[in-house]
């Protein structure tokens, strides 16, 4: 668990650049606008993968999304 927690960075909404937010809005506005901040942070951080079981994320292809099941297979 410590190995996992050492890789987690917590961001606030204030850490999201306007450019990343606008790009994410274009990607997610018709899928799920509530997911825009997550896509924006991923884009801002070199398209960092997202860990989520939210199926809305799978409807976009800008960012890699891993489900819990996929991550467990990798461990």
């Amino acid at each position: 668990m410590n190995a996992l927690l050492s890789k987690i960075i917590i961001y606030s909404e204030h850490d999201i650049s306007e450019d990343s937010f606008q790009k994410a809005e274009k990607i997610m506005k018709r899928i799920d606008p509530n997911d825009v901040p997550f896509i924006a942070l991923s884009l801002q951080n070199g398209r960092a993968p997202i860990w989520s079981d939210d199926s809305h994320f799978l409807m976009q292809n800008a960012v890699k999304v891993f489900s819990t099941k996929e991550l467990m297979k990798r461990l």
Side-chain angles (χ1 to χ4, degrees):
M1 184 59 99
N2 286 337
L4 175 64
L5 292 175
S6 71
K7 304 289 184 192
I8 294 174
I9 301 170
I10 299 178
Y11 291 93
S12 76
E13 289 184 45
H14 303 290
D15 295 321
I16 303 171
S17 72
E18 185 64 31
D19 182 54
S20 295
F21 197 86
Q22 288 176 355
K23 288 176 184 175
E25 279 184 316
K26 289 179 184 176
I27 294 166
M28 296 303 289
K29 67 181 174 186
R30 291 195 174 112
I31 299 171
D32 186 350
N34 293 324
D35 291 336
V36 167
F38 304 105
I39 296 293
L41 279 171
S42 174
L43 295 173
Q44 185 169 300
N45 287 286
R47 297 187 187 272
I50 294 175
W51 170 13
S52 177
D53 290 319
D54 181 344
S55 62
H56 293 126
F57 284 114
L58 301 176
M59 299 170 77
Q60 57 80 41
N61 60 6
V63 173
K64 176 69 178 152
V65 178
F66 291 99
S67 68
T68 301
K69 186 176 180 178
E70 288 173 307
L71 287 178
M72 293 304 290
K73 285 181 187 177
R74 291 174 178 255
L75 297 175

